[in-house]
Amino acid sequence: MDSAEYERKIASRFAAFDQDGNGYIDREDFSGAAAALLAEFSTTARCDKGQALYSGAEAFWQGMAGIADVDGDQRVTRQEFITGAVKRLRDNPQRFAEIARPFLHAVIAIADEDGGGVTPSAAERVLRVLGVDPGVAAVASTSLDADGDGRITEEEILAGFASYFVTPEP
């Protein structure tokens, strides 16, 4: 995949983070996503899991801003997102997964409703809440269960996350 194709791929991922559709990514996009996930899984913001989700969302925002907010205005534009990904993440997609880890870990704790791990159906709910097209969410959630055991581990989620957002397709 050449640089122009890679930039187009990354640009298409921008909308997944711009939850409110205002043309930039900011802290409110992350806290809004956390609130929507808490509502979907009937979890209160004040419980330990709710607090962990908000803390994880803040850590994720801070990590993204550190990578992409080049002008320091506490907003990541589409161009900043593309530039940040191309310059800082293309050769190290796991870095992006690592800044997302606290948030994803908290999402897993909320979506794991029976203590046995996240099911593909719970992962599909998470993806839909985060704005993924329902058809894509269904396919993606099933494919995240790499070992086919009916549960999705944190490592499977991190690998899928990094692959989707920053790894060039073959």
Side-chain angles (χ1 to χ4, degrees):
M1 174 181 291
D2 68 25
S3 290
E5 287 177 285
Y6 182 73
E7 285 186 28
R8 279 191 298 277
K9 176 192 174 184
I10 296 304
S12 72
R13 304 312 193 234
F14 177 81
F17 288 106
D18 183 14
Q19 292 281 301
D20 57 15
N22 63 1
Y24 54 85
I25 303 166
D26 61 11
R27 178 176 279 110
E28 287 73 32
D29 290 311
F30 288 87
S31 61
L37 287 165
L38 291 174
E40 175 67 22
F41 288 93
S42 302
T43 304
T44 64
R46 293 189 186 263
C47 74
D48 289 344
K49 288 181 181 182
Q51 290 297 300
L53 185 61
Y54 277 111
S55 293
E58 177 63 19
F60 193 4
W61 160 246
Q62 291 295 329
M64 180 179 286
I67 287 171
D69 183 17
V70 295
D71 62 8
D73 66 354
Q74 295 297 299
R75 299 187 315 184
V76 175
T77 65
R78 185 174 182 269
Q79 190 57 50
E80 285 176 322
F81 184 77
I82 293 166
T83 301
V86 170
K87 287 186 177 176
R88 295 183 179 98
L89 301 173
R90 185 171 187 174
D91 295 328
N92 188 4
Q94 284 308 112
R95 181 174 179 212
F96 194 58
E98 287 306 315
I99 68 168
R101 186 183 287 271
F103 178 71
L104 295 174
H105 182 77
V107 170
I108 291 165
I110 289 168
D112 180 1
E113 298 178 291
D114 64 4
V118 178
T119 63
S121 64
E124 182 178 348
R125 288 172 59 198
V126 168
L127 293 171
R128 285 193 326 256
V129 166
L130 295 177
V132 175
D133 175 85
V136 173
V139 171
S141 62
T142 301
S143 67
L144 283 172
D145 183 14
D147 60 10
D149 68 354
R151 300 296 174 145
I152 305 168
T153 67
E154 186 168 328
E155 291 309 313
E156 288 170 324
I157 289 170
L158 285 168
F161 184 84
S163 176
Y164 179 76
F165 281 104
V166 297
T167 304
E169 284 110 3

